[in-house]
Amino acid sequence: KPSMSLASVLQDLAMSEQTGTLRVTQGDRHVNLWFEKGLLRLVGFGRGDGPSIINGLLALEKLAFASLPPSDGRRTENNVVRQLMKKEKVSRLDAQLALQHQMTEQVCDLFLWSDAQFEFTEGDPEDDHFDVDQLEFDPKLPVEGMVMEALRRQDEWSETRKAILSMNEILTLDP
C-alpha cells in the first residue's frame, strides 16, 4: 500500500508472521530486511553485505579495538568473529547481541528516510542481498521493540533538527 509508513509495514509483517524480504528504497539507496515468521533475521545492503558484528561488539564494549586481530584482507568479518569466539575473547551470545544491535541501528536509520518505498517478496533470503552466513549467529529481533525505539529516535531527531542551524556545519564551543 503506497500510503503506509515503515512502522505500519513492519508491524503488519510481524503480526501476520510473514517470511520474506522487505526492500526499503529511497532514491538510489536501498536496504533489505529479511523476516522469518515475523521476526527480523537479517539486514542486507546488497553484494552479500550485512551489518558489522565487530562494530556491534565494539559499541557494546564486548571487545576492545586493541584486541582485534590485524586485517590480512583475506578473512571475512564472520571468520574474524569465529576466531575471537575460538580464543574465547567473545561468546556466541556476544556476537548475537552485537549483530542484533547493529541491525536495530540500521532499521532505526531507515525511519529517517522521509519518502521511502517498500516492496515485499516472500521466501528465503537471497545470497546477493544479505550476508546469509550471519544466520549462524541466530539473530532474531521482534519488530515491536524496534519500531518503538525507531519512533522515539525519530521524535528526538525532529527536535534536534530544530536546534541545528545548518546540516552542513559543525558547531563547536568557543573557549
Side-chain angles (χ1 to χ4, degrees):
K1 299 174 187 173
S3 64
M4 291 183 74
S5 69
L6 180 57
S8 298
V9 171
L10 293 175
Q11 289 171 333
D12 284 352
L13 289 172
M15 290 181 63
S16 60
E17 296 186 353
Q18 291 283 335
T19 295
T21 300
L22 178 67
R23 183 176 181 89
V24 183
T25 306
Q26 181 190 37
D28 61 349
R29 300 187 302 174
H30 67 274
V31 173
N32 299 293
L33 308 175
W34 185 66
F35 294 85
E36 183 178 52
K37 298 179 182 172
L39 295 173
L40 180 62
R41 298 292 313 274
L42 290 172
V43 174
F45 311 121
R47 305 171 322 277
D49 289 335
S52 170
I53 298 172
I54 291 175
N55 285 347
L57 289 167
L58 292 169
L60 295 175
E61 298 181 351
K62 299 292 183 177
L63 183 67
F65 188 77
S67 65
L68 284 172
S71 175
D72 63 6
R74 294 184 316 235
R75 287 182 293 201
T76 66
E77 181 175 273
N78 292 336
N79 286 338
V80 171
V81 172
R82 284 186 209 102
Q83 179 184 7
L84 291 167
M85 288 172 23
K86 187 176 180 179
K87 292 181 178 181
E88 297 183 357
K89 292 189 178 194
V90 298
S91 69
R92 180 166 295 284
L93 179 60
D94 292 337
Q96 179 188 43
L97 294 174
L99 178 55
Q100 291 176 170
H101 175 271
Q102 293 301 99
M103 291 166 61
T104 300
E105 293 295 314
Q106 295 298 325
V107 171
C108 288
D109 287 350
L110 293 177
F111 276 71
L112 299 176
W113 292 11
S114 59
D115 57 348
Q117 307 220 335
F118 320 106
E119 179 184 347
F120 185 77
T121 307
E122 290 187 30
D124 291 335
E126 293 189 33
D127 290 359
D128 60 333
H129 291 171
F130 301 95
D131 179 355
V132 293
D133 290 342
Q134 289 184 340
L135 287 172
E136 126 184 30
F137 301 105
D138 201 27
K140 292 180 182 171
L141 283 171
V143 170
E144 296 80 13
M146 215 173 14
V147 168
M148 292 301 291
E149 174 64 13
L151 292 173
R152 182 194 68 76
R153 290 184 189 189
Q154 188 178 28
D155 287 345
E156 190 175 276
W157 179 243
S158 65
E159 290 302 311
T160 302
R161 287 182 73 177
K162 291 177 187 174
I164 297 173
L165 299 175
S166 166
M167 296 297 283
N168 300 321
E169 298 179 37
I170 299 173
L171 303 178
T172 60
L173 292 175
D174 184 6

